[in-house]
């Protein structure tokens, strides 16, 4: 087994859970590097791979999480522009769309009639997110950083995708 480090960039609107995701995944071993031009969080974590050791001379991100929040439609609408920003900066890299805070779906402590509306809205958003992922040809994950749901899977997928190249 060889060790490889890949640099993953997590982007998305404010408060979608980027820092929390990085913290969750890296369990404390994270550096919050402010890249002024696009304002993103960087993380590095060693992964084991059966492939040959690679040189990581390249400084820029090698994979990217495009994150939005279940309870913030605007953050979903910004996903495509985040993708463009990253591609303008580092070129084509492995990417994934992540809908975070899915724990909030069951969390609606409001009137029953409002719950139905919220559920409808969330269903529509989910469908739209699936369509966007299809159109952009990206894998789509739903996560809850709070409940530690699917976070590992996102980064594992990006690592595997990177090593396949
Ligand atoms: P960032 O601005 O994208 O880095 O977002 P933060 O990581 O600072 O998170 C914004 C807020 O959302 C914080 O209060 C987090 O605790 C909260 N948060 C992050 N992920 C989740 C999640 O999966 N579920 C819930 N309910 N809250 C979350």
């Amino acid at each position: 087994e060889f060790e490889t480090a890949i640099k993953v960039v997590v982007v998305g609107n404010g408060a979608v859970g980027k820092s929390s995701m990085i913290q969750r995944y890296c369990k404390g071993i994270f550096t919050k590097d402010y890249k002024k031009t696009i304002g993103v969080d960087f993380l590095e974590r060693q992964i084991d791979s059966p492939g040959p050791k690679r040189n990581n001379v390249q400084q820029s991100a090698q994979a990217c999480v495009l994150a939005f929040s279940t309870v913030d439609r605007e953050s979903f609408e910004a996903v495509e522009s985040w993708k463009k920003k990253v591609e303008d900066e580092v070129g084509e890299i492995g990417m994934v769309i992540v809908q975070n805070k899915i724990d909030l779906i069951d969390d609606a402590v409001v009137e029953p009639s409002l719950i139905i509306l919220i559920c409808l809205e969330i269903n529509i958003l989910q469908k739209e997110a699936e369509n966007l992922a299809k159109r952009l040809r990206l894998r789509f994950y739903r996560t809850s950083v709070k409940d530690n749901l699917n976070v590992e899977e996102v980064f594992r997928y990006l690592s595997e995708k990177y090593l396949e190249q």
Side-chain angles (χ1 to χ4, degrees):
E1 287 214 341
F2 298 90
E3 283 206 327
T4 303
I6 77 164
K7 189 168 274 182
V8 181
V9 67
V10 182
V11 298
N13 282 9
V16 299
K18 300 180 294 294
S19 309
S20 309
M21 188 179 294
I22 290 167
Q23 241 162 332
R24 168 67 86 186
Y25 184 69
C26 291
K27 296 179 188 89
I29 334 156
F30 90 105
T31 53
K32 201 165 175 178
D33 229 290
Y34 291 105
K35 196 150 189 249
K36 284 274 154 26
T37 45
I38 45 177
V40 292
D41 291 322
F42 283 99
L43 76 90
E44 278 180 81
R45 181 174 133 165
Q46 297 294 119
I47 54 162
D48 297 323
S49 77
K53 198 175 172 75
R54 287 168 185 249
N55 268 333
N56 277 334
V57 271
Q58 180 191 356
Q59 283 303 295
S60 59
Q62 290 139 321
C64 171
V65 174
L66 301 165
F68 71 96
S69 159
T70 301
V71 291
D72 179 359
R73 165 160 275 279
E74 243 178 66
S75 72
F76 169 68
E77 281 161 5
V79 165
E80 221 177 326
S81 69
W82 279 109
K83 178 177 182 281
K84 194 178 172 323
K85 266 180 204 164
V86 173
E87 282 172 352
D88 287 349
E89 187 92 352
V90 299
E92 279 204 16
I93 53 173
M95 290 193 184
V96 67
I97 299 179
V98 172
Q99 173 177 4
N100 188 37
K101 305 196 188 185
I102 58 157
D103 57 283
L104 292 178
I105 292 175
D106 316 312
D107 241 32
V109 242
V110 281
E111 280 180 55
S113 58
L114 271 179
I115 291 177
I116 293 168
L117 277 179
I118 289 167
C119 289
L120 267 175
E121 250 171 57
I122 286 171
N123 277 339
I124 292 166
L125 182 67
Q126 206 128 292
K127 195 77 209 149
E128 281 175 297
E130 279 163 20
N131 288 341
L132 180 70
K134 230 177 258 169
R135 181 161 62 77
L136 300 178
R137 297 203 177 129
L138 296 177
R139 181 89 60 105
F140 173 51
Y141 283 92
R142 296 186 188 106
T143 64
S144 168
V145 171
K146 182 170 170 252
D147 295 345
N148 203 9
L149 195 81
N150 261 345
V151 178
E152 278 285 325
E153 283 79 356
V154 167
F155 293 99
R156 193 183 312 133
Y157 167 72
L158 286 174
S159 310
E160 282 167 4
K161 199 169 158 52
Y162 175 75
L163 291 167
E164 269 170 19
Q165 285 173 11

